[in-house]
Amino acid sequence: MSKNSPSSWTKLQSNLQIVTASLIFVSSLLLPIFSYTKSYAAPATLLNGGLEQVTGTTPDCFSQSGWGDHDLAWELTDDTHSGNVAQSVTIGNYVSGDRKLMMTENAACAPAVIPGEAYNISLWYKSSSIRNSLTVFRHSVAGWTYWTDLKALPVTDAWTEVTATTPAIPAGTDQISFGVSISADGTLVTDDYGLTRVGGDPEPEPEPEPPTELSVNPGLEEGGNPPANWFLAGWGDAAVNATVTNDAHSGDRAYTIELNGRTQGDFKLIPTEASAPQVQPGNIYNLSAWYKSTTDQNSVTIFAHTAAGWGYWTDLQTLPMANDWTKFTIATPQIPPGIDAIAWGVSIFGDGTLVTDDYSTMLQGQAAPPPEGPATQGEWTVLDYELPIRAIHSTLLYNGKVLLIAGSGNSVEDFEAGTFKASIWDPISGVFNTLDVPKDMFCAGHVTLADGRVLIQGGTKSYPTTATAADYGGLKDSWIFDPETETFTATNDANEGHWYPTLTQLGNGDVWMAGGLKEDTTGAVNTEYFDFETEQWLPTGQVPQTWSFWGLYPHMFLMQDGRLFYSGGHTFGNNIPGTGAAIYDYQNATIAEVPGLREKDMRDQSASVLLPPAQDQKVLITGGGNINTANPGIKLTDIIDLKQPNPIYQPGPDLPGLGKMYVNATILPDRTVFLSNGGQLNRDDSTNVMTAAVYDPETNTMKPVAADPIGRNYHSSSVLLPDGRVVVLGSNPGDGTFEMRISVYQPPYSFRTVRPDITNAPTQATYGQSFNFNVNAPNKLVKWAQLLRPMSVTHQTDSNLRLVDLPIAVNNGIATVTVPENSNLLPPGPYMLTITDSDGIPSIATWIMIR
């Protein structure tokens, strides 16, 4: 049985009385039921010590406990020491046992303590019993156990304060609970419990606003049938009799659901859309209700609301048969990002009768941060095999393999010998197919074309005439690599030679190119244009020109209005004159400088990225240096919003640790940016900076994560694989060596939970088209769908990398998404389609061609 969300809340409400097999609100209880486990810290102080906060008949975070043979009566009383509520317990006909009010023995309520420390505990009491004692329980990995009785308490008819100091907290103990035990006939009343650490700062009870009950009409007393603000939801083939009953836990009304002949489906009473409790991501909520049931086929079920609508979230626990009114209290998991409301109820999914009453939804507290480890830091693996060639250029192909190009690999000996290589690597099997290439593609430019082939332009015509010179000559030659045949086919030459050019695909599938060094080693100022349909470079006279030198590997991004944005990132030395960043209208040959970029001449081999999703039109640049100076790299991050009428860079969060150049940027499918590797100085292994970070555009935060165990600088690159891992390759320090080991980073989402998946997606789609595919997100909502462009990167440069949001709606396990109409936002070609669930966990990608 699958859990499916309704097409709309309106559909649900229009079917309130349906008790046939028609689908109302799907919630499978045949899939595994997940019990909630502790994922938050115990409170550092005593909660609700004054007993003023009450749900039902017991103060919140306290429990009426005890055992034995005697008559018993618990009562909330207004005969208090302070405030409006105290707790009374009366014992009669005593034979054995005791009774006591104590902090609830769970992680949410019992106060945390520190082993080795002692604690002052206190409370106020009145008692007519001759036997009372101050009793303490403690918690360890073995669970909750009795610890000690600190003192006996006499009869008193006036409010009397009790104070005592615990022994030193034993090793392994992390929480305590305490109260006054009554073990003879009489009445005991308690109030105003307190706890402070001996020798520490006082830990008074916090005085927040009283908890707000988030459930509307929680006692079901208002309205007709069903109660106001509630409705019957469910599905399946059972005969259903559901109605308001006067067999209530409190008040005059409760709600009963009776199922007969059920073979599939479930039913439950849940809040209407307008009455669903509003929640905040990151918070935890306590859910409670009273119930009776003649079957053990019951479960606490939660639905959640996101921007995509309502859908099933999770089942927290099953509930046993209960002949008498029984209360359950359970905490939600930490509310994931994107969820703003929840609706929950008790599902019955077997023949029998379920009666519920007195619902409660209350904020419990903030979850503690998850423990350090792979689930928060990610994890690195160095593969047990090495590269067969010097991987200077890396392109992910639509078949999942990676095209690696070395050419001469920055080896004068190989250049002079005419030994030019490329290799196609299968990261799943670990197999390489190494090829000879026709000319030296070392330091060429490249881009994935609209049909998935790869255009390579330029490379090395000549090495410097002296060892310390930078007078490389660029090639005019150009080739197209076909992943199907694994062959390179020559096109016509570009108009100038280019060594270190940038190729940026346009919305129509054509390619703009500029930058680099010409055949004569001077700067290339000719703007080049590749016509995809004819597979030809156009003559210079057919291309608008500004005759500008953009530098080497300029970071040039296509904007959604068809213009290009130069971020200021580049390779080697100083930036271009002026502000160092610009918006370039290549069609009209105009350039407008953009202000705000800090340290513009320290952006040599920085990282630039069009932040996800591309619809936001924000660009980040971070790190960088200058090979012409001895100054160490910088850690500055600047961000610009290109949708603004007058865009200007604004400071963002610094990279963690030392500043660095050679920063690799990778967009992850959870819509964060992974920033790895680098060094302080030019090609200097002794100053490699072993840090990595994840930038979250949604929160504008930079979080340190696990670092590559291998130091990498010049000629390193990173590539995102379809399964969500990141491969990092290369490094070419100044001694002429090359790092042949391969590092693989598994981001935190690889370790956190079961990943969602996609099936039956189409292999191609067109602009503006809506299409369907199946999704499975176990116990989660689908938060996002997105298209990720496969990376084609060299020298920390991939100006075509982008993640584009696909608006998504999910109904009965079928997702519907719509491709943007604007091809400037989503240039044609192969993309990786992924979904991300409400916990931020992405699926493995499936390939789709956008045409």
Side-chain angles (χ1 to χ4, degrees), residues 18 90 136 204 265 281 315 325 402 428 468 553 592 649:
I18 292 179
T90 300
V136 185
D315 279 79
W325 281 108
V402 181
I428 303 301
T468 59
Y553 285 136
Y649 267 115

Side-chain angles (χ1 to χ4, degrees), residues 307-504:
W310 283 94
Y312 169 80
W313 180 18
T314 188
D315 279 79
L316 290 180
Q317 70 175 42
T318 54
L319 301 177
M321 183 185 301
N323 294 324
D324 298 320
W325 281 108
T326 302
K327 184 180 182 181
F328 66 85
T329 300
I330 192 167
T332 68
Q334 185 177 11
I335 302 297
I339 292 179
D340 57 14
I342 59 173
W344 67 275
V346 181
S347 299
I348 177 171
F349 55 99
D351 285 355
T353 300
L354 168 71
V355 189
T356 56
D357 197 1
D358 293 334
Y359 290 77
S360 177
T361 306
M362 283 194 174
L363 175 66
Q364 181 264 308
Q366 293 285 343
E372 293 297 305
T376 58
Q377 296 292 302
E379 185 174 82
W380 289 87
T381 302
V382 179
L383 299 185
D384 58 4
Y385 56 88
E386 296 186 348
L387 294 165
I389 63 170
R390 294 184 167 196
I392 308 294
H393 309 268
S394 306
T395 300
L396 178 65
L397 307 172
Y398 60 78
N399 57 15
K401 298 180 181 180
V402 181
L403 171 63
L404 305 172
I405 298 176
S408 63
N410 203 17
S411 166
V412 175
E413 292 77 11
D414 284 350
F415 178 79
E416 292 176 346
T419 303
F420 310 133
K421 298 290 184 180
S423 191
I424 295 89
W425 173 45
D426 185 340
I428 303 301
S429 68
V431 173
F432 293 91
N433 180 22
T434 300
L435 310 171
D436 292 325
V437 295
K439 286 193 177 182
D440 190 2
M441 298 178 186
F442 168 60
C443 292
H446 36 86
V447 63
T448 300
L449 293 172
D451 58 7
R453 295 178 300 160
V454 182
L455 175 65
I456 301 114
Q457 199 289 316
T460 305
K461 179 178 175 61
S462 61
Y463 272 74
T465 55
T466 61
T468 59
D471 53 339
Y472 287 83
L475 291 171
K476 290 184 177 181
D477 303 67
S478 180
W479 306 266
I480 294 177
F481 174 78
D482 188 339
E484 294 293 328
T485 62
E486 297 188 350
T487 57
F488 295 86
T489 301
T491 73
N492 68 322
D493 289 347
N495 296 290
E496 287 183 336
H498 294 272
W499 185 79
Y500 279 59
T502 292
L503 281 67
T504 303

Side-chain angles (χ1 to χ4, degrees), residues 4-27:
N4 299 298
S5 58
S7 58
S8 69
W9 199 272
T10 302
K11 178 180 177 182
L12 287 175
Q13 292 176 309
S14 68
N15 288 280
L16 299 186
Q17 305 301 321
I18 292 179
V19 292
T20 66
S22 298
L23 174 64
I24 302 178
F25 206 116
V26 178
S27 170

Side-chain angles (χ1 to χ4, degrees), residues 197-271:
R197 182 165 59 90
V198 174
D201 295 329
E203 298 175 0
E205 180 181 354
E207 298 181 0
E209 291 294 323
T212 301
E213 177 57 65
L214 300 177
S215 291
V216 179
N217 190 22
L220 312 182
E221 298 300 303
E222 301 172 7
N225 184 20
N229 306 107
W230 297 79
F231 73 101
L232 176 67
W235 71 287
D237 58 1
V240 182
N241 181 23
T243 188
V244 170
T245 175
N246 60 9
D247 177 18
H249 168 256
S250 69
D252 299 320
R253 290 160 51 97
Y255 196 77
T256 181
I257 305 172
E258 180 183 1
L259 301 188
N260 289 291
R262 183 263 182 202
T263 63
Q264 60 178 346
D266 72 283
F267 284 82
K268 58 260 173 196
L269 184 71
I270 60 174

Side-chain angles (χ1 to χ4, degrees), residues 710-764:
I710 298 173
R712 300 179 189 270
N713 48 69
Y714 185 56
H715 283 153
S716 65
S717 60
S718 65
V719 176
L720 178 72
L721 298 179
D723 61 10
R725 295 178 299 160
V726 179
V727 172
V728 182
L729 308 163
S731 187
N732 188 194
D735 61 7
T737 61
F738 198 91
E739 178 58 69
M740 307 301 279
R741 291 174 292 176
I742 302 170
S743 296
V744 178
Y745 178 68
Q746 291 177 268
Y749 51 66
S750 303
F751 302 94
R752 288 175 53 195
T753 186
V754 177
R755 296 177 69 173
D757 61 69
I758 295 171
T759 54
N760 301 320
T763 58
Q764 64 180 30

